[in-house]
Amino acid sequence: MKLEAPKLRQARLQRQDLWRRARAAAPTVRGEYPRVEKLHIELKFIDQTAHTPADQTHIMHPAAQAFFAFPCPYADCDGRFELNAAVGEAIGSAKHRYEGDLHCTGHRVRDGNSGLACGLHLRFVVSARLRHAAPAAHDGADASPG
């Protein structure tokens, strides 16, 4: 088992703490997108190594935090995948679905100070289920007299 250098461990713990605080400070899905009943986010990671991270699925309901940034699954990487724009696109589109690709721009400890980005490829799909707008109630005010 590899031991983590104290500086690297401290930096990782600080990133995790910032991450938790940012998620806790985010508004709820209900507050950000009132018509959303459910968000379904699928993450598929593609790497050329034998140790490709497992796919992830995230289901978010109205009470969940509207925090759509996901850390690179490599434990030694400081990168993240920002999907805020993708969620907005899915909710605003006619099909309520948005697909895309991203590459991790973080850096991995294994690469030292090479300056090379992690480069892990992410293929994602964001699907939204929205509540239908309630039909306007008729109060008879516009009915013709009769």
Side-chain angles (χ1 to χ4, degrees):
M1 179 173 118
K2 278 187 175 178
L3 294 179
E4 192 173 25
K7 270 189 168 179
L8 296 175
R9 184 175 191 287
Q10 185 63 29
R12 183 177 55 82
L13 292 174
Q14 286 176 340
R15 276 194 312 274
Q16 288 174 343
D17 187 51
L18 288 172
W19 199 265
R20 275 191 288 276
R21 289 174 194 239
R23 180 179 297 277
T28 63
V29 170
R30 179 184 299 115
E32 209 50 32
Y33 303 104
R35 291 188 51 220
V36 169
E37 285 184 355
K38 181 172 79 170
L39 287 172
H40 187 258
I41 301 173
E42 297 175 37
L43 308 176
K44 179 176 179 60
F45 301 100
I46 302 164
D47 199 353
Q48 303 307 317
T49 68
H51 303 290
T52 301
D55 297 349
Q56 298 177 13
T57 299
H58 301 270
I59 307 291
M60 297 178 171
H61 296 278
Q65 300 306 118
F67 188 77
F68 308 115
F70 300 91
C72 178
Y74 286 127
D76 67 337
C77 183
D78 61 0
R80 64 184 185 188
F81 298 99
E82 296 284 347
L83 296 181
N84 289 314
V87 170
E89 290 287 334
I91 291 169
S93 75
K95 292 184 178 183
H96 306 302
R97 180 181 171 93
Y98 186 79
E99 298 181 34
D101 294 279
L102 293 171
H103 290 275
C104 180
T105 58
H107 295 88
R108 294 185 66 184
V109 173
R110 70 170 183 161
D111 296 331
N113 291 327
S114 69
L116 297 175
C118 168
L120 179 65
H121 181 184
L122 169 67
R123 178 84 184 136
F124 65 86
V125 178
V126 178
S127 305
R129 186 171 70 203
L130 305 182
R131 279 190 293 282
H132 296 288
H138 293 287
D139 60 5
D142 60 348
S144 58

